[in-house]
Amino acid sequence: MAGSVSAVPGFALTPSASKTALPSNYITDFDFLNQYLPDTYEKEFERYGNRSIASFLRAVGAELPSNSDLIKWNEHGRLHTQYTGVATTGAVSSGTQTFDIGSGTCVFRVGQTVILSSATAAKTVKGIVVALPAADQFTVAYYSATSPGFTHTTSDVVAFVYGSEFKKGANGMDGSLESQPNIFSNKPIIIKDKYTVSGSDMAQIGWVEVSTENGATGYLWYIKSEHETRLRFEDYMEMSMVETEPAASGSGAAIQTTATQVGTEGSEGLFYAIENRGNLWSGGNPSTLADFDAVIERLDKQGAIQENALFINRQFGFDIDDMLASQNSYGTGGTSYGLFDNDEKMALNLGFSGFKRGYEFYKTDWKYLNDPTLRGGLSTAAGRINGVLVPAGSMNVYDQVMGKNARRPFLHVRYRASENENRRYKTWIVGSAGGASNTDFDGMNVHFLSERALCTMGANNFFLFKD
């Protein structure tokens, strides 16, 4: 009995004598655009290059363990005391005059010799302390008999001790000065992240080979997502140390009552520490020698660290290059940067890696400040941060936990650790796939955790450059 073929909706098959894809024998509706498999590149194209920004802290600081909820250290203060904004309490009487420091206890002592200077009075005079009429006052007998002292309304006097003088057979100095501790502290914060993938998706093979910045490759999309989560978390660890700030009393963060947020007090990050204990340049980038002379003058008043690193955004780098190039008077626009044998195969180097003017400054681009999805995407009108100046080397501090002096880098990270637990960078897998078999979740959860704090020691030697 002869057979018959019934039509199947969507299919119209007519045999062909040759192996040719025709509308009559192709198993689907004919469409030239999807008749054949697409021509694909095997590897994923990395159009943004290396997207990670974590590099700053690795370049300037160290990582040290800590086993406490609080990190404390003591920095020595100034050796000498200077009072500013000192006011006269009356006119000169019998060659003496009394001054008021405004508040607090005056540490000047009878017998010490002082220098007194006033910009409004346009004079600087010297005298000897002869009395302390009140806790915040001192009386000076002037050495000069010609127009000594200031008017009874002078209130901008600057005063400091330069020595002492006693007569023969006099008793010793009355009283002594005790060193005042300058104790600083910071607390670690806990940083977390997680990546989740189902068991079914883990079994899905892709046709494009994916890769990440840390070298992970494969045809499994979840590998790419997991490694990108890892890279993102590493960036978060650095950005948290740079950006975090303490929760102010009464702030929304400080009064949170949700179970996961109670006790989130924040921490003292780099930018916060410099703005509150360091030096701030605002109003655009220092782009002239006069601008940098002002920065140098400020550094002279601080620790005077000879080598400093500038971590800056691209525009700040260009401004420094243009400033240095303009110092070259040979050639239009300063295009001759030093002496070289010029030829047609040589690329002209229009950038500088550093310069020396009183101190040595080395500059490098900070990717975090250039990234358009991070600090690089902020407006100049909002006070965009253009760079930081970080002193090189280390300083001697008294570690309150260790109970002894220790050499520490100016900038370093303290992570929570003990003999049984290291929370520098933890990662673990939970689930029933990807090597885990500890829960009934049909998939894999990859957890990331770090507990750390940034110690900015000697913040008075740092500079923050803002618009």
Side-chain angles (χ1 to χ4, degrees), residues 235-266:
D235 284 353
Y236 288 159
M237 287 195 302
E238 176 161 307
M239 288 189 290
S240 294
M241 297 298 94
V242 171
E243 296 282 2
T244 187
E245 64 178 70
S249 177
S251 65
I255 62 176
Q256 280 295 308
T257 58
T258 56
T260 58
Q261 298 301 320
V262 172
T264 51
E265 302 172 3

Side-chain angles (χ1 to χ4, degrees), residues 83 96-98 105-114 127-135 137-141 143 161-167 170-177:
Y83 292 115
T96 65
Q97 194 167 25
T98 299
T105 301
C106 179
V107 300
F108 291 173
R109 291 168 288 170
V110 173
Q112 289 187 315
T113 51
V114 296
I128 183 170
V129 178
V130 294
L132 301 170
Q137 295 181 350
F138 62 95
T139 301
V140 171
Y143 281 106
V161 171
Y162 70 88
S164 62
E165 183 180 3
F166 292 87
K167 68 179 182 179
N171 293 332
M173 178 72 73
D174 185 17
S176 67
L177 290 182

Side-chain angles (χ1 to χ4, degrees), residues 140-154:
V140 171
Y142 293 112
Y143 281 106
S144 175
T146 305
S147 300
F150 308 93
T151 66
H152 67 279
T153 59
T154 305

